Amino acid sequence: MSDTAYVQLLDLAAGVFLLAAVLMLWRRELASIIRLFAAQGAALAALVAILGVHQQHPELLGVAAGVLALRAGLLPYLMRRALAASGEARETQPLVNVAASLLTAATLTLLAYAVSRPLVALAPSPATQAIPVGITVVLIGLFVLATRRRALSQVVGLLLVDNGITAVAFLATAGVPLTVELGVSLDVLLAVLVLLVLTARMRIAFGATDLDELRELHD
Amino acid sequence: MNSTGAAGAVLQLVLVAGGAPLLAGLMRQVRARMEGRAGAGVTQPWRDLRKLLRKEPITPRGSGPAFRAAPTVLMATALVPAAVAPFVTTASPLDGAADLIAVVALLALGTVTLALAALDTGTAFGGMGASREMTVLALVEPTILLAVFALSVRVGSTNLAAIVTATLHDPLRVVSPASLLAAVALAVVTIAETGRLPVDNPSTHLELTMIHEAMVLEYSGPDLALIEWASAMRLTVLLGLLANLFAPWGIATGASLTALPLAVGVFAGKVALLGAGLAAAEVFMAKLRLFRVPELLAGSFLLALLAVATSFFLA
Amino acid sequence: MSAVEWGLAAIAGLAVVAVLAALAAPQRVRPTTVGSCTAALGGAGIAVGVLAAAGRRGAVWLPELLPLFGVRLEFDPLGGVFTAVAGAVAVAAALYSIGYTRHGLDSRTVQAALPLFVAAMLLLPAAASVATFLLLWEAMAAASLLLVLAEHRRRTAVAEAGGWYAVMTHAGMVTILLGLLLFAAHAGGETFAQLRAADLSPAMRSTVFLLTLVGFASKAGAVPLHVWLPKAHPEAPSHASALMSAAMVNLGVYGIVRVGFDLLGGGPAWWWLLVLGLGAASALYGILQAAVTTDLKRLLGYSTTENLGLVLLGVGAAGLFATAGNRALAGLALAAALLHVINHAAFKTLLFLAAGSVLHATGTRDLDGLGGLRARMPATTGLFAVGALAAAALPPGNGFVSEWLLLQALIHSLPATAVATAVTMPLAVAVIALTAGLAVATFVKALGVGFFAKPRTPAAESATECGPAMLAGMGLAAAACVGLALAPTLLVPALARAVQVAVPGTEAATTGRLTLELSGITGSMSPLLIAAALVVAAVGILAALRVFGARRARRAARLWDCGGGGLTARTEYTATSFGEPLQRVFDDVLRPEQDIDVTHVRESRYLVDTIHYRRRVPDRIEHRLYAPLLAAVRAWGEAGRRLANGSVHRYLGYGFYGVITLLVALAVTR
């Protein structure tokens, strides 16, 4: 594809990626958070596919297909099932209210740009210039992990971190070896399964998955 | 390997094997005379051996192959050093096969077989003798090896013939502090290894005071003969080493067969003198309590360490 | 592909086959299939090791196997010696395990861990890059941990032993990792070739050496990092104990020689004085603890500490001599140390396998409860006696040969110019001598109390001889001991090539076929001739007795029982009583805990009804060094609990704030 088309498509995919993360901070319904996550997965797959077509690496297209299947297909499906089983619909008042969360997201974006300047300076190219987006998503994922009450939201936070790391990996290098990608994917899948099982158990034990209830366990 | 060496080695074996009971008899006679008794005569041990060899062999019930094999192994571990060490000749054919460290280790092997035989009987006395003997053996090893070290520093080898030949060529080395200290340390080692006063009383009848005798309580007849003979041979070997490592004059070094008879006579004389001196000193000593023995052995270790230090620092 | 590369492929292939057999085979045939496959794996290891020690080269480079670094394997004679040793031990242990693991140890995990462990040990000496080395080291540790924990359901002590082992081996791994990473970072590359060519500052070299020394010394069981050894070796199943004691601990020595001599190219004298000091302390402390313990496998574990202490003493002496420029003596000392590694592997395998047979037959490891096994298990007793002779370092055993070589190396160091050498060599000789004496006492105790006389408990009375597979494993190890005892000269060329890798410019330490004649120094000893002389003398004595003695038949009679009659096994000396004089002499070092409980007769205080005597000799280093350390860690952990108030959000918040602070700091300082 031509260079301008490549740069534009790349920036578009990166933008959707970031936007999905920010919107997850805004929405309260768990079902829509999961839909946004699926959309982000699709954006990540598109990003990888664009990189593959531009760099003429056919295996990246295969990786893109795998990413799509896993992060936009399998993981949202599992989370929807867990959501249906739990019967909760909304995220209750998070520790940090929505407005403050969005302001924090803005600060994190600036921090990510400041930190990744040396990285970008190593090898300036349209791909590497999109690295700050990935780092921002990582930081937003950490923030979600730390400030949401529902267990399912925390799973989403963890997956955001992973998505961000994967995006940075693909943007900074020509991709990671297949074995590593497979390993990481398996890792993520297992983590999600374990967390969903734990969530179910928490619900059985306490009737809700509000993590602050777990405080009672402290002796 | 020359014929003088081979003949000398055979002579050594015969001399040590045949003369060991005589040495034991001499030592007992000296003690007896000094204690005011008439004594049984120098050849009494030979008469005892003859009597024992003619008796019926007996094996105690409950003992096993270790008990049966120990006398033979003990005797073998006394015979091989007798053939190797430079007593009558420095050119023994087995000289390159075993050096001072190996000779000392062979003597330790003999002690070990006796200790295992004692444990094999399953009696309390056997166990007690074995346990005490092993303690003394463990504590005497550092002294032995350090004395070997001291002897070999000035010669540059632990090979027995090399040490003796070096002393022959440089007689004044014997009066150096290193040599004297090493000699005293080796004398204590001899006493400890052969179970003489003050470490152990060879003629005691009280089982609770025994170390070596407790291990052989169950032996009788030909087995006891072999053990007593082997013990006397070990004493002869150790005294012979003490004599020839520090005062080797008279030993046959060359290829001439005529030097051998003189060497035999000189060796017999030296060992007899040392044995008589040891026996005389024993008259004035009492046995040490078992838990004072480590102090004695620590003292001998210090002497050996000083021997090494002076051989280096004053060399 | 060269022969060595085929061998490496064979090792990898056989390991995979063995693991698959462990996972797939039905339970009845699992021990046999896994045992035979592992024995074949060991055989491949021996073949590759011998080829490498003979000077054949071969290298394998697999870039895809590990991300970023790839796996790099390359054999040289030094690595070949250690691989051959590990292979030989594996063959004996694997054959033994066919019979031993039949009852209760044939689960998939335990069976699969065995070939993994063996394969990791075989390939580790061939590692030619930091990443490969660490990968194989970790694989070895993980597989051995699985084996140590094999019987955790049967005994509670196993879990504690496994815990100590896991923590200490991983702490060692961390220090090795730090050392090697520092080395690689300053060398600009992680292959051993790049490390060899690197130019580091003396301070950095010392740091790398000290860090790796801590880890390797801990693996080799050097005092004071040995605490895991007397806990883990008794609790592991006996074939695993044999593998750990006779093959795994050698790799600690391999690491020190490889890093200190080969990669760092030698160093200042104080490095080697430290190694020598560690070796001397391990040898003395190890054998002292072995002399007073009554648990047979704990005795053997402490004996491993002692023997590896002697090896480290030799390695330290070799380093000292090399630093002083005396290459011939350095070569002799290192050859003696390597020969002792080989000899120790042979007799320690035999001893542990025999101890396993005893445990299998009687159910107890306590020497105070054994006895009388020479009538019930004659083959095991005979094999144990061969091993005990070798371990006691008496001629004509194989332990004596390597100890003799080591003593020769030390003795010929004087007169020396350096004061350090002049002071340490006599002390080193004294340490070796005391160790040898105590080793004799220890193994007389183990053999005499454990196997001879009458059985002390019903368990020992009901012992039966073990099966053919176990006997075959022990027999192989015994054959190796005998071969090494009589013909050590066959190994001299291989040892010379291995020593060349570490100390270049040395020649063969000894010459001669029948006799070990030291080259350049007057000194010789022939174990074969000594053994032959002993045999001839014994035959001569028996013949003379036949001629001169009375020709009467042997009669059995009563033991001397002071006329009281009724000698039972109760009057036999036990292992506790055997070691009591030594324990009294070394009371200050051992500090035993004694309990005497006297119960008087009800009617009179002057008459005694029963006396209970209990003595325990704890590991004093564990008591004085580790217990306070663990208490401090626990106190620190309890203080840290205040940070944990139960809120999950707070914990996640800690992480989030930490990351943000770090990133801000990064952004500001860049």
Side-chain angles (χ1 to χ4, degrees):
Chain A
M1 60 173 70
S2 73
D3 263 347
T4 42
Y6 159 64
V7 173
Q8 282 181 339
L9 280 173
L10 192 70
D11 288 344
L12 184 62
V16 170
F17 190 67
L18 182 59
L19 195 60
V22 171
L23 283 175
M24 276 194 249
L25 278 179
W26 193 5
R27 302 303 309 244
R28 290 226 185 82
E29 293 82 17
L30 289 170
S32 50
I33 291 180
I34 294 174
R35 267 197 294 274
L36 283 167
F37 179 72
Q40 192 184 54
L44 180 62
L47 192 69
V48 177
I50 293 167
L51 283 170
V53 168
H54 177 77
Q55 291 165 356
Q56 273 134 21
H57 276 156
E59 63 257 23
L60 275 183
L61 292 175
V63 174
V67 165
L68 188 69
L70 181 69
R71 292 164 204 263
L74 182 60
L75 288 176
Y77 166 67
L78 287 173
M79 288 198 287
R80 263 195 292 275
R81 272 184 54 172
L83 181 63
S86 72
E88 302 158 342
R90 286 174 67 87
E91 169 72 44
T92 50
Q93 188 67 356
L95 278 161
V96 180
N97 65 26
V98 176
S101 306
L102 289 172
L103 284 175
T104 318
T107 328
L108 290 176
T109 316
L110 289 174
L111 182 63
Y113 266 98
V115 167
S116 48
R117 271 211 350 251
L119 259 183
V120 176
L122 271 180
S125 82
T128 51
Q129 269 154 359
I131 286 179
V133 165
I135 299 186
T136 312
V137 171
V138 170
L139 293 177
I140 292 181
L142 275 176
F143 183 68
V144 166
L145 253 181
T147 56
R148 301 286 129 154
R149 285 192 203 277
R150 293 266 173 247
L152 208 60
S153 309
Q154 306 212 311
V155 175
V156 168
L158 181 71
L159 291 172
L160 272 178
V161 171
D162 185 65
N163 273 359
I165 294 174
T166 313
V168 170
F170 279 106
L171 287 170
T173 66
V176 292
L178 198 59
T179 36
V180 177
E181 183 56 42
L182 280 175
V184 171
S185 304
L186 190 64
D187 206 24
V188 167
L189 186 62
L190 281 173
V192 169
L193 285 173
V194 167
L195 286 169
L196 290 179
V197 168
L198 275 176
T199 315
R201 289 237 158 244
M202 267 180 3
R203 195 179 19 85
I204 293 172
F206 305 109
T209 58
D210 187 339
L211 281 163
D212 273 348
E213 309 259 331
L214 285 180
R215 247 191 131 107
E216 313 224 341
L217 290 173
H218 184 250
D219 61 336
Chain B
M1 163 150 119
N2 54 16
S3 55
T4 317
V10 170
L11 259 181
Q12 257 170 221
L13 263 179
V14 168
L15 183 62
V16 169
L22 289 176
L23 175 68
L26 173 68
M27 289 171 75
R28 281 191 217 159
Q29 189 69 9
V30 166
R31 269 193 83 168
R33 279 298 156 100
M34 291 186 73
E35 286 170 1
R37 295 183 277 123
V42 177
T43 52
Q44 181 59 32
W46 265 118
R47 293 195 278 265
D48 287 336
L49 283 179
R50 201 179 57 193
K51 172 187 78 172
L52 284 171
L53 280 171
R54 295 229 187 99
K55 286 193 175 248
E56 180 186 17
I58 288 188
T59 308
R61 259 182 228 112
S63 59
F67 185 86
R68 291 279 306 273
T72 316
V73 178
L74 184 67
M75 190 76 160
T77 60
L79 280 175
V80 173
V84 168
F87 292 149
V88 165
T89 170
T90 54
S92 160
L94 284 177
D95 178 58
D99 67 341
L100 190 48
I101 301 177
V103 161
V104 163
L106 277 171
L107 292 173
L109 179 67
T111 315
V112 163
T113 41
L114 211 54
L116 282 173
L119 281 171
D120 202 13
T121 59
T123 58
F125 294 134
M128 187 185 76
S131 145
R132 291 173 171 184
E133 183 74 32
M134 287 296 114
T135 309
V136 170
L137 180 69
L139 295 174
V140 97
E141 284 282 327
T143 311
I144 298 178
L145 281 183
L146 272 185
V148 167
F149 196 172
L151 281 173
S152 68
V153 167
R154 48 199 181 94
V155 177
S157 165
T158 52
N159 186 288
L160 286 161
I163 299 177
V164 167
T165 320
T167 316
L168 278 176
H169 288 161
D170 192 5
L172 286 177
R173 275 203 212 224
V174 178
V175 291
S176 67
S179 270
L180 292 173
L181 286 168
V184 174
L186 272 180
V188 175
V189 164
T190 308
I191 293 176
E193 282 252 39
T194 51
R196 316 282 318 174
L197 286 165
V199 172
D200 182 18
N201 187 351
S203 55
T204 183
H205 298 284
L206 302 169
E207 289 95 344
L208 287 176
T209 63
M210 295 175 176
I211 300 180
H212 178 267
E213 297 301 316
M215 293 196 290
V216 301
L217 266 182
E218 296 296 331
Y219 281 109
S220 57
D223 296 330
L224 185 60
L226 278 182
I227 289 190
E228 298 215 325
W229 201 346
S231 305
M233 282 179 62
R234 283 160 59 101
L235 179 61
T236 315
V237 165
L238 280 168
L239 286 178
L241 277 175
L242 202 55
N244 271 1
L245 286 175
F246 295 99
W249 303 284
I251 197 171
T253 49
S256 63
L257 280 164
T258 49
L260 284 178
L262 176 65
V264 166
V266 169
F267 177 69
K270 281 189 274 191
V271 171
L273 200 63
L274 272 179
L278 185 59
E282 280 186 357
V283 172
F284 299 100
M285 278 195 278
K287 189 179 100 72
L288 276 179
R289 225 198 114 191
L290 178 69
F291 292 110
R292 294 265 180 265
V293 171
E295 294 170 11
L296 172 70
L297 296 175
S300 69
F301 170 73
L302 182 62
L303 289 178
L305 187 64
L306 285 175
V308 174
T310 49
S311 76
F312 165 65
F313 286 118
L314 295 181
Chain C
M1 268 175 53
S2 73
V4 170
E5 285 153 20
W6 274 114
L8 282 170
I11 291 177
L14 280 168
V16 168
V17 164
V19 172
L20 286 175
L23 295 173
Q27 194 164 18
R28 244 183 340 105
V29 296
R30 209 177 289 150
T32 318
T33 38
V34 174
S36 344
C37 291
T38 314
L41 179 60
I46 299 177
V48 175
V50 166
L51 280 174
R56 305 277 198 89
R57 293 278 165 160
V60 166
W61 158 232
L62 296 165
E64 298 89 22
L65 215 53
L66 262 187
L68 277 185
F69 301 114
V71 166
R72 203 180 280 270
L73 294 170
E74 188 182 338
F75 261 116
D76 64 5
L78 180 66
V81 167
F82 283 91
T83 301
V85 167
V89 173
V91 170
L95 281 176
Y96 182 87
S97 75
I98 294 178
Y100 186 77
T101 53
R102 207 159 272 158
H103 310 286
L105 285 168
D106 49 8
S107 72
R108 283 196 180 84
T109 333
V110 173
Q111 293 285 337
L114 182 67
L116 279 174
F117 185 34
V118 171
M121 283 196 295
L122 289 178
L123 292 175
L124 186 69
S129 74
V130 170
T132 320
F133 190 89
L134 290 171
L135 173 73
L136 288 168
W137 191 267
E138 187 58 29
M140 187 176 76
S144 58
L145 183 62
L146 281 176
L147 283 170
V148 166
L149 289 172
E151 291 179 299
H152 70 277
R153 280 189 219 285
R154 286 194 220 166
R155 292 192 297 273
T156 47
V158 176
E160 189 204 334
W164 275 93
Y165 178 55
V167 169
M168 288 197 73
T169 203
H170 279 89
M173 156 97 179
V174 165
T175 53
I176 297 175
L177 178 76
L178 278 174
L180 288 177
L181 281 185
L182 267 177
F183 199 177
H186 283 260
E190 58 108 29
T191 64
F192 280 8
Q194 285 166 315
L195 293 181
R196 257 177 226 122
D199 193 15
L200 294 158
S201 69
M204 185 51 57
R205 286 155 61 87
S206 296
T207 318
V208 168
F209 183 73
L210 282 176
L211 281 173
T212 50
L213 180 66
V214 168
F216 289 131
S218 171
K219 177 63 74 177
V223 155
L225 302 161
H226 68 290
V227 182
W228 61 273
L229 209 150
K231 285 185 197 287
H233 285 216
E235 302 298 341
S238 303
H239 63 293
S241 305
L243 276 169
M244 284 165 67
S245 230
M248 190 179 75
V249 294
N250 299 343
L251 295 172
V253 175
Y254 169 74
I256 296 176
V257 173
R258 177 65 75 186
V259 173
F261 278 111
D262 186 25
L263 296 179
L264 286 172
W270 66 264
W271 285 7
W272 304 111
L273 276 175
L274 183 62
V275 173
L276 204 149
L278 277 179
S282 313
L284 267 182
Y285 189 77
I287 199 61
L288 202 51
Q289 285 283 356
V292 297
T293 185
T294 59
D295 179 339
L296 182 56
K297 286 177 81 169
R298 198 173 142 99
L299 189 154
L300 293 174
Y302 271 121
S303 164
T304 302
T305 300
E306 176 234 336
N307 281 290
L308 270 287
L310 288 177
V311 171
L312 284 177
L313 210 148
V315 169
L320 262 181
F321 295 149
T323 316
N326 193 340
R327 304 214 150 245
L329 267 188
L332 180 60
L334 194 56
L338 288 179
L339 185 61
H340 198 69
V341 164
I342 302 176
N343 283 337
H344 171 249
F347 67 70
K348 195 43 66 77
T349 309
L350 177 57
L351 287 171
F352 260 115
L353 294 184
S357 300
V358 169
L359 181 58
H360 192 78
T362 62
T364 176
R365 302 194 303 250
D366 189 8
L367 281 171
D368 284 349
L370 292 172
L373 296 175
R374 63 169 147 70
R376 292 155 183 82
M377 303 173 69
T380 308
T381 308
L383 291 165
F384 191 91
V386 171
L389 175 71
L394 289 171
N398 54 345
F400 177 68
V401 176
S402 43
E403 208 168 274
W404 184 84
L405 273 179
L406 185 59
L407 279 171
Q408 291 293 333
L410 292 178
I411 285 179
H412 285 101
S413 63
L414 292 193
T417 46
V419 177
T421 318
V423 170
T424 46
M425 288 307 138
L427 289 176
V429 170
V431 162
I432 297 182
L434 185 56
T435 310
L438 288 172
V440 169
T442 308
F443 282 96
V444 165
K445 177 180 78 169
L447 182 61
V449 171
F451 290 83
F452 289 167
K454 296 184 273 285
R456 292 179 183 80
T457 55
E461 248 180 85
S462 57
T464 51
E465 189 62 85
C466 48
M470 291 163 76
L471 283 178
M474 290 194 281
L476 270 180
C481 281
V482 170
L484 285 168
L486 296 178
T489 48
L490 292 175
L491 292 173
V492 167
L495 287 176
R497 272 182 227 110
V499 167
Q500 269 270 22
V501 173
V503 184
T506 54
E507 295 153 3
T510 68
T511 53
R513 301 287 299 281
L514 278 183
T515 316
L516 287 162
E517 287 164 25
L518 300 173
S519 38
I521 307 169
T522 324
S524 64
M525 198 256 308
S526 173
L528 187 59
L529 282 178
I530 292 180
L534 282 172
V535 167
V536 164
V539 165
I541 294 164
L542 287 172
L545 264 186
R546 197 54 73 83
V547 169
F548 294 112
R551 290 186 194 87
R552 293 154 83 165
R554 215 164 248 276
R555 181 167 66 88
R558 261 169 61 173
L559 281 167
W560 170 239
D561 49 19
C562 297
L567 274 185
T568 61
R570 194 68 186 76
T571 57
E572 284 182 285
Y573 243 51
T574 59
T576 314
S577 28
F578 193 94
E580 200 258 350
L582 278 171
Q583 175 232 303
R584 270 224 232 179
V585 170
F586 291 102
D587 190 56
D588 286 329
V589 178
L590 291 169
R591 299 283 182 167
E593 294 162 11
Q594 292 189 108
D595 252 330
I596 302 180
D597 233 336
V598 179
T599 321
H600 297 278
V601 170
R602 210 161 17 104
E603 287 84 334
S604 164
R605 267 217 71 233
Y606 296 103
L607 300 173
V608 169
D609 189 30
T610 49
I611 300 181
H612 275 278
Y613 173 77
R614 209 171 55 89
R615 187 200 74 188
R616 217 177 68 85
V617 181
D619 188 326
R620 202 150 164 237
I621 292 182
E622 184 189 332
H623 202 56
R624 298 293 297 273
L625 190 63
Y626 286 82
L629 208 63
L630 290 174
V633 169
R634 190 170 294 128
W636 187 64
E638 303 226 342
R641 279 176 87 192
R642 276 186 265 120
L643 282 174
N645 66 345
S647 161
V648 178
H649 287 106
R650 178 180 292 212
Y651 306 152
L652 288 166
Y654 287 145
F656 182 67
Y657 291 134
V659 170
I660 296 300
T661 319
L662 192 64
L663 287 178
V664 167
L666 259 180
V668 163
T669 53
R670 289 295 176 121

